[in-house]
Every structure is written in C-alpha cells, then in structure tokens.
C-alpha cells in the first residue's frame, strides 16, 4: 500500500524507476535491487546485515521500518 516502507522496493522490482518506460537507466542497464534485514548497532549509525545482502552492490539505501530512507556506504564484509 502507498506509504508502506516496502513500497519503494516493489515499485523498483516492477521496473518503475527513473529512465525509460521499461525501467532501464541511461546506460541501458536495469538497476538491480535487493532487500534484507539488519539492525543498528551504534548511535552513530553503524548497522549489521548479512553479506549476501550487500555482496556485489555499489550503492546502498537503508529503509527503516518507519519508511525513512538513509544513504549508506559499505565499511566491511
């Protein structure tokens, strides 16, 4: 449903992303998306998840259970 934290995931899963009508970006590639669970381990924003969630990724967005989207970077695996 609209406003649900998983709305963005399913919109992207169906190919409804910026780019052409099929969901392809300017390079002609369909961006990949995955999901997984994780949890924050410190007040300054470190979080832990399984390696298979981030493996091979180059950009990361964390979506909290309230729907807030946070940009993230991979520190280690």
């Amino acid at each position: 449903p609209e406003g649900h934290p998983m709305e963005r995931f399913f919109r992207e899963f169906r190919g409804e992303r910026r780019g052409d009508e099929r969901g392809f970006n300017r390079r002609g590639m369909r961006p990949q998306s995955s999901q997984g669970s994780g949890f924050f381990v410190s007040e300054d924003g470190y979080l832990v998840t399984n390696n298979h969630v981030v493996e091979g990724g180059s950009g990361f967005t964390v979506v909290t259970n309230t729907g807030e989207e946070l940009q993230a970077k991979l520190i280690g695996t």
Side-chain angles (χ1 to χ4, degrees), residues 2-55:
E2 188 171 329
H4 188 278
M6 295 299 295
E7 178 183 14
R8 179 174 172 230
F9 171 78
F10 285 108
R11 187 176 61 240
E12 291 179 3
F13 181 77
R14 291 189 304 261
E16 298 171 19
R17 294 194 70 163
R18 291 186 182 122
D20 72 14
E21 66 279 353
R22 296 165 300 179
F24 291 90
N25 64 21
R26 287 178 290 204
R27 295 183 188 145
M29 299 172 60
R30 180 173 261 163
Q32 298 296 309
S33 180
S34 66
Q35 80 176 66
S37 62
F39 55 93
F40 289 96
V41 295
S42 67
E43 295 275 334
D44 58 350
Y46 279 87
L47 67 106
V48 177
T49 190
N50 290 306
N51 185 62
H52 73 269
V53 175
V54 297
E55 188 172 36

